Amino acid sequence: MQLEHRGPYFVPPYEPLPKDVQFYYDGKPLKLSLATEEIATFYAKMLDHEYTTKEIFQNNFFHDWRKQMTSEEQEIIKDLDKCDFGEIHKYFVDKNEARKALPKEEKQKLKEEADKIQEEYGYCILDGHREKIGNFKTEPPGLFRGRGEHPKMGMLKKRIMPEDVIINCSKDSKIPEPPEGHKWKEVRFDNTVTWLASWTENIQNTLKYIMLNPSSKLKGEKDWQKYEVARRLKDVVHTIRAQYRKDWKSKEIKKRQRAVALYFIDKLALRAGNEKEEGETADTVGCCSLRVEHIQLYPQLDGQEHVVEFDFLGKDSIRYYNKVSVEKLVFKNLQLFMRNKDPSDDLFDHLNTTFLNKHLQDLMDGLTAKVFRTYNASITLQEQLKALTNPEDNAAGKLLSYNRANRAVAILCNHQRSIPKTFARSMQVLQEKIDAKKKQVEEAQEEVKKAEDEFKDTKDTKAEGNVEKKKKLLKRLEEQLAKMNIQATDKEENKQIALGTSKLNYLDPRITVAWCKKFGIPIERIYNKTQREKFAWAIDMTGEDFEF
């Protein structure tokens, strides 16, 4: 692999606050050193955010901020409650509003500057082809947020320097120049990986990468391979299911636990769950790391038998809550696994992800828990589209069916979101538009009736033409009203479901492309520009008869 690029684009240095924007401590203005002031701006920018009301966020911020202060500042600033960031917060709010209100020419100038940076840093040469890079900028410094109640929220995300960055390129290429006065941590010539640069972020010690854009040829091939592995699972999934059913009766407890976990991964699209260091991240779990306290067993509940109630925090601290009727042997095994255990004990105490993944590899080359998720998500979309799409519907009706099919997948994969703050207002605006449109339809109906009465009386051809004209207008208004009603239904049903994650990561795009081609729906109604670039390989090669 031949690879040449410019390296990452670094966030510009900190610009000090204007002299008339003050920080106050204990009611008195206090001039801060540059490093301390920069971190103060991170907190000030977030004053109107819920994070800054949380004690853990405040404590972590104040602890990290004090570490960066001069000894003189540390002597004075000892209590966050005495800090007043109000003026700094107002300065950034005003700055933001001013940016929004810039005249068109100024906005165009800023766009041109951004395009220039994109042109210089946003492309690489890969095997002689110019390819787009994904995230070519380093992350700006700031305060870590995390998902859910993350124990590290509020900690200081440090500025990435060239000295933190490992560059990867080809031996015979022009090695990127570091910014003046700096040097790279290391330069590598590794053609077995697809990243261009990497560094370790300071909060969770995880590696961050600069990668190719999803639309690049290499990424497209990887994407295609991922869905092809999931398609291969279709041919062996029945054998795998028969095997894990058989293992529910195994004499080895380890095999039984593995078989029950695999049933959950298959049936409920649960993630496998990886072991984590204590206190490193929020208390999130997956299938293998479930504890006794995360499930409740009910021999009978709501008219169903053998019900398992799940309640735990999954990836990104999203709560997974589900009541599901399971097979009798699964239920009995769970009772066995829970016997004589404390709530905090592991449910699958003889199982870990390494053991599970080794077994999956033996069942099918390339098989992981994630492949099950991709397979079940894609097959669900395909089946739902077949069941829900009415060829007689108009485009808006078909799109509603598509979103409902996508929603079934998002629910399966537990892709939730909190209701947007703007939801109630935007629904109100839409309802007002619907009400106004209804009034227009009623008025148009009256106009049609009037025109028909006039034609009855006169039998005049001009009056007949008027009837046709009024009917056409009524039909158009009725179609507009129907479209708005569908939009409102879709919005309401989607308010707590995140459709984007499954659409981008788990659903074979060829299913969507084939559906669009079959029913004459423009692909841009489903995929935005970035998504169309990512799935260009699928859009180009798929016909309407594709089956996952």
Side-chain angles (χ1 to χ4, degrees), residues 423-452:
F423 178 77
R425 178 73 193 119
S426 64
M427 272 306 264
Q428 189 189 340
V429 168
L430 184 53
Q431 193 54 54
E432 284 165 5
K433 285 181 180 172
I434 288 170
D435 292 342
K437 191 62 70 181
K438 271 182 188 164
K439 206 174 167 197
Q440 283 181 302
V441 168
E442 283 163 13
E443 286 167 0
Q445 283 167 339
E446 282 172 24
E447 288 289 320
V448 167
K449 195 174 177 310
K450 258 191 222 168
E452 282 175 338

PDB file of all heavy atoms in Angstrom, residues 423-452:
ATOM      1  N   PHE A 423     -38.571  19.219  20.648  1.00  0.00           N
ATOM      2  CA  PHE A 423     -39.604  18.354  20.085  1.00  0.00           C
ATOM      3  C   PHE A 423     -41.009  18.947  20.225  1.00  0.00           C
ATOM      4  O   PHE A 423     -41.750  19.053  19.252  1.00  0.00           O
ATOM      5  CB  PHE A 423     -39.558  16.960  20.731  1.00  0.00           C
ATOM      6  CG  PHE A 423     -40.633  16.036  20.229  1.00  0.00           C
ATOM      7  CD1 PHE A 423     -40.517  15.433  18.987  1.00  0.00           C
ATOM      8  CD2 PHE A 423     -41.783  15.794  20.966  1.00  0.00           C
ATOM      9  CE1 PHE A 423     -41.515  14.603  18.494  1.00  0.00           C
ATOM     10  CE2 PHE A 423     -42.783  14.973  20.497  1.00  0.00           C
ATOM     11  CZ  PHE A 423     -42.640  14.366  19.252  1.00  0.00           C
ATOM     12  N   ALA A 424     -41.385  19.340  21.446  1.00  0.00           N
ATOM     13  CA  ALA A 424     -42.749  19.834  21.702  1.00  0.00           C
ATOM     14  C   ALA A 424     -43.063  21.047  20.827  1.00  0.00           C
ATOM     15  O   ALA A 424     -44.139  21.136  20.218  1.00  0.00           O
ATOM     16  CB  ALA A 424     -42.909  20.187  23.172  1.00  0.00           C
ATOM     17  N   ARG A 425     -42.091  21.956  20.740  1.00  0.00           N
ATOM     18  CA  ARG A 425     -42.298  23.179  19.946  1.00  0.00           C
ATOM     19  C   ARG A 425     -42.448  22.841  18.454  1.00  0.00           C
ATOM     20  O   ARG A 425     -43.347  23.347  17.780  1.00  0.00           O
ATOM     21  CB  ARG A 425     -41.121  24.149  20.172  1.00  0.00           C
ATOM     22  CG  ARG A 425     -41.181  25.440  19.371  1.00  0.00           C
ATOM     23  CD  ARG A 425     -42.235  26.412  19.892  1.00  0.00           C
ATOM     24  NE  ARG A 425     -42.493  27.493  18.936  1.00  0.00           N
ATOM     25  CZ  ARG A 425     -43.654  27.742  18.375  1.00  0.00           C
ATOM     26  NH1 ARG A 425     -44.704  26.995  18.636  1.00  0.00           N
ATOM     27  NH2 ARG A 425     -43.809  28.747  17.535  1.00  0.00           N
ATOM     28  N   SER A 426     -41.565  21.979  17.938  1.00  0.00           N
ATOM     29  CA  SER A 426     -41.643  21.681  16.496  1.00  0.00           C
ATOM     30  C   SER A 426     -42.917  20.908  16.163  1.00  0.00           C
ATOM     31  O   SER A 426     -43.495  21.090  15.097  1.00  0.00           O
ATOM     32  CB  SER A 426     -40.393  20.929  16.020  1.00  0.00           C
ATOM     33  OG  SER A 426     -40.296  19.678  16.633  1.00  0.00           O
ATOM     34  N   MET A 427     -43.400  20.070  17.107  1.00  0.00           N
ATOM     35  CA  MET A 427     -44.665  19.368  16.886  1.00  0.00           C
ATOM     36  C   MET A 427     -45.834  20.363  16.867  1.00  0.00           C
ATOM     37  O   MET A 427     -46.754  20.242  16.076  1.00  0.00           O
ATOM     38  CB  MET A 427     -44.908  18.324  17.990  1.00  0.00           C
ATOM     39  CG  MET A 427     -44.317  16.962  17.708  1.00  0.00           C
ATOM     40  SD  MET A 427     -44.802  16.231  16.134  1.00  0.00           S
ATOM     41  CE  MET A 427     -46.152  15.195  16.621  1.00  0.00           C
ATOM     42  N   GLN A 428     -45.738  21.359  17.758  1.00  0.00           N
ATOM     43  CA  GLN A 428     -46.784  22.394  17.830  1.00  0.00           C
ATOM     44  C   GLN A 428     -46.845  23.179  16.511  1.00  0.00           C
ATOM     45  O   GLN A 428     -47.921  23.410  15.969  1.00  0.00           O
ATOM     46  CB  GLN A 428     -46.461  23.339  19.001  1.00  0.00           C
ATOM     47  CG  GLN A 428     -47.578  24.325  19.309  1.00  0.00           C
ATOM     48  CD  GLN A 428     -47.128  25.377  20.323  1.00  0.00           C
ATOM     49  OE1 GLN A 428     -46.164  25.196  21.058  1.00  0.00           O
ATOM     50  NE2 GLN A 428     -47.826  26.493  20.350  1.00  0.00           N
ATOM     51  N   VAL A 429     -45.645  23.533  15.994  1.00  0.00           N
ATOM     52  CA  VAL A 429     -45.573  24.274  14.726  1.00  0.00           C
ATOM     53  C   VAL A 429     -46.181  23.439  13.598  1.00  0.00           C
ATOM     54  O   VAL A 429     -46.967  23.938  12.787  1.00  0.00           O
ATOM     55  CB  VAL A 429     -44.099  24.651  14.400  1.00  0.00           C
ATOM     56  CG1 VAL A 429     -43.963  25.165  12.969  1.00  0.00           C
ATOM     57  CG2 VAL A 429     -43.593  25.703  15.389  1.00  0.00           C
ATOM     58  N   LEU A 430     -45.828  22.137  13.580  1.00  0.00           N
ATOM     59  CA  LEU A 430     -46.357  21.246  12.542  1.00  0.00           C
ATOM     60  C   LEU A 430     -47.882  21.107  12.664  1.00  0.00           C
ATOM     61  O   LEU A 430     -48.597  21.129  11.664  1.00  0.00           O
ATOM     62  CB  LEU A 430     -45.674  19.872  12.642  1.00  0.00           C
ATOM     63  CG  LEU A 430     -46.016  18.823  11.581  1.00  0.00           C
ATOM     64  CD1 LEU A 430     -45.812  19.360  10.167  1.00  0.00           C
ATOM     65  CD2 LEU A 430     -45.192  17.561  11.772  1.00  0.00           C
ATOM     66  N   GLN A 431     -48.376  20.998  13.907  1.00  0.00           N
ATOM     67  CA  GLN A 431     -49.822  20.866  14.124  1.00  0.00           C
ATOM     68  C   GLN A 431     -50.561  22.123  13.663  1.00  0.00           C
ATOM     69  O   GLN A 431     -51.641  22.038  13.070  1.00  0.00           O
ATOM     70  CB  GLN A 431     -50.105  20.588  15.615  1.00  0.00           C
ATOM     71  CG  GLN A 431     -51.538  20.117  15.900  1.00  0.00           C
ATOM     72  CD  GLN A 431     -51.965  18.906  15.070  1.00  0.00           C
ATOM     73  OE1 GLN A 431     -51.294  17.885  15.077  1.00  0.00           O
ATOM     74  NE2 GLN A 431     -53.073  19.028  14.343  1.00  0.00           N
ATOM     75  N   GLU A 432     -49.941  23.283  13.902  1.00  0.00           N
ATOM     76  CA  GLU A 432     -50.549  24.542  13.446  1.00  0.00           C
ATOM     77  C   GLU A 432     -50.659  24.567  11.916  1.00  0.00           C
ATOM     78  O   GLU A 432     -51.646  24.999  11.346  1.00  0.00           O
ATOM     79  CB  GLU A 432     -49.721  25.744  13.940  1.00  0.00           C
ATOM     80  CG  GLU A 432     -49.938  26.033  15.424  1.00  0.00           C
ATOM     81  CD  GLU A 432     -48.875  26.964  16.011  1.00  0.00           C
ATOM     82  OE1 GLU A 432     -48.018  27.459  15.238  1.00  0.00           O
ATOM     83  OE2 GLU A 432     -48.891  27.178  17.249  1.00  0.00           O
ATOM     84  N   LYS A 433     -49.591  24.053  11.258  1.00  0.00           N
ATOM     85  CA  LYS A 433     -49.598  23.983   9.784  1.00  0.00           C
ATOM     86  C   LYS A 433     -50.689  23.022   9.305  1.00  0.00           C
ATOM     87  O   LYS A 433     -51.370  23.280   8.317  1.00  0.00           O
ATOM     88  CB  LYS A 433     -48.229  23.517   9.266  1.00  0.00           C
ATOM     89  CG  LYS A 433     -47.141  24.578   9.331  1.00  0.00           C
ATOM     90  CD  LYS A 433     -45.840  24.038   8.777  1.00  0.00           C
ATOM     91  CE  LYS A 433     -44.737  25.080   8.833  1.00  0.00           C
ATOM     92  NZ  LYS A 433     -43.428  24.500   8.472  1.00  0.00           N
ATOM     93  N   ILE A 434     -50.843  21.886  10.012  1.00  0.00           N
ATOM     94  CA  ILE A 434     -51.867  20.897   9.665  1.00  0.00           C
ATOM     95  C   ILE A 434     -53.263  21.514   9.796  1.00  0.00           C
ATOM     96  O   ILE A 434     -54.113  21.371   8.909  1.00  0.00           O
ATOM     97  CB  ILE A 434     -51.734  19.617  10.535  1.00  0.00           C
ATOM     98  CG1 ILE A 434     -50.479  18.824  10.105  1.00  0.00           C
ATOM     99  CG2 ILE A 434     -52.975  18.730  10.457  1.00  0.00           C
ATOM    100  CD1 ILE A 434     -50.097  17.675  11.017  1.00  0.00           C
ATOM    101  N   ASP A 435     -53.466  22.233  10.919  1.00  0.00           N
ATOM    102  CA  ASP A 435     -54.772  22.872  11.150  1.00  0.00           C
ATOM    103  C   ASP A 435     -55.093  23.893  10.049  1.00  0.00           C
ATOM    104  O   ASP A 435     -56.230  23.954   9.553  1.00  0.00           O
ATOM    105  CB  ASP A 435     -54.800  23.561  12.525  1.00  0.00           C
ATOM    106  CG  ASP A 435     -54.745  22.535  13.667  1.00  0.00           C
ATOM    107  OD1 ASP A 435     -55.027  21.347  13.396  1.00  0.00           O
ATOM    108  OD2 ASP A 435     -54.409  22.914  14.806  1.00  0.00           O
ATOM    109  N   ALA A 436     -54.055  24.669   9.677  1.00  0.00           N
ATOM    110  CA  ALA A 436     -54.249  25.675   8.615  1.00  0.00           C
ATOM    111  C   ALA A 436     -54.567  24.989   7.282  1.00  0.00           C
ATOM    112  O   ALA A 436     -55.429  25.445   6.518  1.00  0.00           O
ATOM    113  CB  ALA A 436     -52.994  26.538   8.479  1.00  0.00           C
ATOM    114  N   LYS A 437     -53.866  23.869   7.025  1.00  0.00           N
ATOM    115  CA  LYS A 437     -54.086  23.132   5.773  1.00  0.00           C
ATOM    116  C   LYS A 437     -55.493  22.514   5.746  1.00  0.00           C
ATOM    117  O   LYS A 437     -56.165  22.509   4.717  1.00  0.00           O
ATOM    118  CB  LYS A 437     -53.003  22.059   5.614  1.00  0.00           C
ATOM    119  CG  LYS A 437     -52.945  21.387   4.262  1.00  0.00           C
ATOM    120  CD  LYS A 437     -52.627  22.329   3.107  1.00  0.00           C
ATOM    121  CE  LYS A 437     -51.211  22.853   3.120  1.00  0.00           C
ATOM    122  NZ  LYS A 437     -50.940  23.770   1.999  1.00  0.00           N
ATOM    123  N   LYS A 438     -55.949  22.007   6.915  1.00  0.00           N
ATOM    124  CA  LYS A 438     -57.303  21.436   7.013  1.00  0.00           C
ATOM    125  C   LYS A 438     -58.339  22.492   6.634  1.00  0.00           C
ATOM    126  O   LYS A 438     -59.310  22.219   5.924  1.00  0.00           O
ATOM    127  CB  LYS A 438     -57.573  20.968   8.454  1.00  0.00           C
ATOM    128  CG  LYS A 438     -57.166  19.536   8.727  1.00  0.00           C
ATOM    129  CD  LYS A 438     -57.509  19.165  10.151  1.00  0.00           C
ATOM    130  CE  LYS A 438     -56.954  17.808  10.533  1.00  0.00           C
ATOM    131  NZ  LYS A 438     -56.942  17.584  11.974  1.00  0.00           N
ATOM    132  N   LYS A 439     -58.108  23.713   7.126  1.00  0.00           N
ATOM    133  CA  LYS A 439     -59.030  24.817   6.841  1.00  0.00           C
ATOM    134  C   LYS A 439     -59.070  25.105   5.336  1.00  0.00           C
ATOM    135  O   LYS A 439     -60.134  25.291   4.752  1.00  0.00           O
ATOM    136  CB  LYS A 439     -58.568  26.065   7.611  1.00  0.00           C
ATOM    137  CG  LYS A 439     -59.701  27.030   7.912  1.00  0.00           C
ATOM    138  CD  LYS A 439     -59.229  28.157   8.801  1.00  0.00           C
ATOM    139  CE  LYS A 439     -60.299  29.247   8.801  1.00  0.00           C
ATOM    140  NZ  LYS A 439     -59.841  30.515   9.282  1.00  0.00           N
ATOM    141  N   GLN A 440     -57.862  25.076   4.715  1.00  0.00           N
ATOM    142  CA  GLN A 440     -57.778  25.308   3.264  1.00  0.00           C
ATOM    143  C   GLN A 440     -58.549  24.219   2.501  1.00  0.00           C
ATOM    144  O   GLN A 440     -59.226  24.500   1.514  1.00  0.00           O
ATOM    145  CB  GLN A 440     -56.309  25.293   2.812  1.00  0.00           C
ATOM    146  CG  GLN A 440     -55.550  26.576   3.152  1.00  0.00           C
ATOM    147  CD  GLN A 440     -54.118  26.489   2.650  1.00  0.00           C
ATOM    148  OE1 GLN A 440     -53.370  25.603   3.008  1.00  0.00           O
ATOM    149  NE2 GLN A 440     -53.735  27.419   1.795  1.00  0.00           N
ATOM    150  N   VAL A 441     -58.422  22.950   2.977  1.00  0.00           N
ATOM    151  CA  VAL A 441     -59.126  21.829   2.340  1.00  0.00           C
ATOM    152  C   VAL A 441     -60.642  22.029   2.445  1.00  0.00           C
ATOM    153  O   VAL A 441     -61.377  21.866   1.467  1.00  0.00           O
ATOM    154  CB  VAL A 441     -58.702  20.469   2.966  1.00  0.00           C
ATOM    155  CG1 VAL A 441     -59.636  19.333   2.536  1.00  0.00           C
ATOM    156  CG2 VAL A 441     -57.266  20.133   2.588  1.00  0.00           C
ATOM    157  N   GLU A 442     -61.097  22.408   3.656  1.00  0.00           N
ATOM    158  CA  GLU A 442     -62.549  22.631   3.862  1.00  0.00           C
ATOM    159  C   GLU A 442     -63.069  23.738   2.934  1.00  0.00           C
ATOM    160  O   GLU A 442     -64.123  23.612   2.311  1.00  0.00           O
ATOM    161  CB  GLU A 442     -62.821  23.001   5.323  1.00  0.00           C
ATOM    162  CG  GLU A 442     -62.787  21.788   6.262  1.00  0.00           C
ATOM    163  CD  GLU A 442     -62.633  22.198   7.727  1.00  0.00           C
ATOM    164  OE1 GLU A 442     -62.807  23.400   8.032  1.00  0.00           O
ATOM    165  OE2 GLU A 442     -62.311  21.314   8.549  1.00  0.00           O
ATOM    166  N   GLU A 443     -62.257  24.829   2.843  1.00  0.00           N
ATOM    167  CA  GLU A 443     -62.656  25.939   1.962  1.00  0.00           C
ATOM    168  C   GLU A 443     -62.694  25.491   0.503  1.00  0.00           C
ATOM    169  O   GLU A 443     -63.602  25.844  -0.250  1.00  0.00           O
ATOM    170  CB  GLU A 443     -61.675  27.118   2.129  1.00  0.00           C
ATOM    171  CG  GLU A 443     -61.875  27.879   3.430  1.00  0.00           C
ATOM    172  CD  GLU A 443     -60.721  28.831   3.737  1.00  0.00           C
ATOM    173  OE1 GLU A 443     -59.760  28.898   2.926  1.00  0.00           O
ATOM    174  OE2 GLU A 443     -60.760  29.492   4.804  1.00  0.00           O
ATOM    175  N   ALA A 444     -61.691  24.679   0.114  1.00  0.00           N
ATOM    176  CA  ALA A 444     -61.621  24.180  -1.268  1.00  0.00           C
ATOM    177  C   ALA A 444     -62.802  23.247  -1.563  1.00  0.00           C
ATOM    178  O   ALA A 444     -63.336  23.246  -2.678  1.00  0.00           O
ATOM    179  CB  ALA A 444     -60.300  23.465  -1.513  1.00  0.00           C
ATOM    180  N   GLN A 445     -63.217  22.450  -0.552  1.00  0.00           N
ATOM    181  CA  GLN A 445     -64.384  21.558  -0.721  1.00  0.00           C
ATOM    182  C   GLN A 445     -65.652  22.380  -0.993  1.00  0.00           C
ATOM    183  O   GLN A 445     -66.463  22.033  -1.853  1.00  0.00           O
ATOM    184  CB  GLN A 445     -64.564  20.679   0.519  1.00  0.00           C
ATOM    185  CG  GLN A 445     -63.587  19.517   0.595  1.00  0.00           C
ATOM    186  CD  GLN A 445     -63.567  18.840   1.949  1.00  0.00           C
ATOM    187  OE1 GLN A 445     -63.979  19.425   2.964  1.00  0.00           O
ATOM    188  NE2 GLN A 445     -63.083  17.595   1.989  1.00  0.00           N
ATOM    189  N   GLU A 446     -65.765  23.482  -0.241  1.00  0.00           N
ATOM    190  CA  GLU A 446     -66.926  24.375  -0.442  1.00  0.00           C
ATOM    191  C   GLU A 446     -66.895  25.000  -1.836  1.00  0.00           C
ATOM    192  O   GLU A 446     -67.929  25.111  -2.506  1.00  0.00           O
ATOM    193  CB  GLU A 446     -66.930  25.472   0.632  1.00  0.00           C
ATOM    194  CG  GLU A 446     -67.450  24.983   1.981  1.00  0.00           C
ATOM    195  CD  GLU A 446     -67.267  26.033   3.079  1.00  0.00           C
ATOM    196  OE1 GLU A 446     -67.173  27.229   2.744  1.00  0.00           O
ATOM    197  OE2 GLU A 446     -67.208  25.637   4.272  1.00  0.00           O
ATOM    198  N   GLU A 447     -65.682  25.382  -2.270  1.00  0.00           N
ATOM    199  CA  GLU A 447     -65.518  25.991  -3.601  1.00  0.00           C
ATOM    200  C   GLU A 447     -65.929  25.005  -4.704  1.00  0.00           C
ATOM    201  O   GLU A 447     -66.563  25.375  -5.680  1.00  0.00           O
ATOM    202  CB  GLU A 447     -64.044  26.406  -3.815  1.00  0.00           C
ATOM    203  CG  GLU A 447     -63.604  27.610  -2.998  1.00  0.00           C
ATOM    204  CD  GLU A 447     -64.223  28.907  -3.496  1.00  0.00           C
ATOM    205  OE1 GLU A 447     -64.326  29.101  -4.723  1.00  0.00           O
ATOM    206  OE2 GLU A 447     -64.657  29.728  -2.646  1.00  0.00           O
ATOM    207  N   VAL A 448     -65.554  23.711  -4.524  1.00  0.00           N
ATOM    208  CA  VAL A 448     -65.918  22.673  -5.501  1.00  0.00           C
ATOM    209  C   VAL A 448     -67.441  22.546  -5.559  1.00  0.00           C
ATOM    210  O   VAL A 448     -68.048  22.494  -6.638  1.00  0.00           O
ATOM    211  CB  VAL A 448     -65.248  21.312  -5.150  1.00  0.00           C
ATOM    212  CG1 VAL A 448     -65.864  20.163  -5.974  1.00  0.00           C
ATOM    213  CG2 VAL A 448     -63.746  21.368  -5.386  1.00  0.00           C
ATOM    214  N   LYS A 449     -68.069  22.499  -4.368  1.00  0.00           N
ATOM    215  CA  LYS A 449     -69.534  22.348  -4.297  1.00  0.00           C
ATOM    216  C   LYS A 449     -70.224  23.533  -5.013  1.00  0.00           C
ATOM    217  O   LYS A 449     -71.158  23.344  -5.798  1.00  0.00           O
ATOM    218  CB  LYS A 449     -69.977  22.261  -2.828  1.00  0.00           C
ATOM    219  CG  LYS A 449     -71.424  21.749  -2.689  1.00  0.00           C
ATOM    220  CD  LYS A 449     -71.783  21.537  -1.229  1.00  0.00           C
ATOM    221  CE  LYS A 449     -73.230  21.099  -1.074  1.00  0.00           C
ATOM    222  NZ  LYS A 449     -74.199  21.911  -1.788  1.00  0.00           N
ATOM    223  N   LYS A 450     -69.705  24.731  -4.730  1.00  0.00           N
ATOM    224  CA  LYS A 450     -70.277  25.941  -5.352  1.00  0.00           C
ATOM    225  C   LYS A 450     -70.183  25.846  -6.874  1.00  0.00           C
ATOM    226  O   LYS A 450     -71.137  26.121  -7.602  1.00  0.00           O
ATOM    227  CB  LYS A 450     -69.494  27.181  -4.886  1.00  0.00           C
ATOM    228  CG  LYS A 450     -70.199  27.985  -3.793  1.00  0.00           C
ATOM    229  CD  LYS A 450     -69.471  29.308  -3.629  1.00  0.00           C
ATOM    230  CE  LYS A 450     -69.320  29.662  -2.164  1.00  0.00           C
ATOM    231  NZ  LYS A 450     -68.373  30.787  -1.991  1.00  0.00           N
ATOM    232  N   ALA A 451     -68.979  25.473  -7.358  1.00  0.00           N
ATOM    233  CA  ALA A 451     -68.734  25.384  -8.808  1.00  0.00           C
ATOM    234  C   ALA A 451     -69.640  24.321  -9.443  1.00  0.00           C
ATOM    235  O   ALA A 451     -70.165  24.514 -10.556  1.00  0.00           O
ATOM    236  CB  ALA A 451     -67.263  25.050  -9.062  1.00  0.00           C
ATOM    237  N   GLU A 452     -69.832  23.179  -8.725  1.00  0.00           N
ATOM    238  CA  GLU A 452     -70.707  22.107  -9.239  1.00  0.00           C
ATOM    239  C   GLU A 452     -72.163  22.595  -9.330  1.00  0.00           C
ATOM    240  O   GLU A 452     -72.872  22.324 -10.300  1.00  0.00           O
ATOM    241  CB  GLU A 452     -70.614  20.862  -8.347  1.00  0.00           C
ATOM    242  CG  GLU A 452     -69.348  20.048  -8.593  1.00  0.00           C
ATOM    243  CD  GLU A 452     -69.177  18.879  -7.632  1.00  0.00           C
ATOM    244  OE1 GLU A 452     -69.779  18.900  -6.523  1.00  0.00           O
ATOM    245  OE2 GLU A 452     -68.416  17.962  -7.973  1.00  0.00           O
TER     246      GLU A 452
END
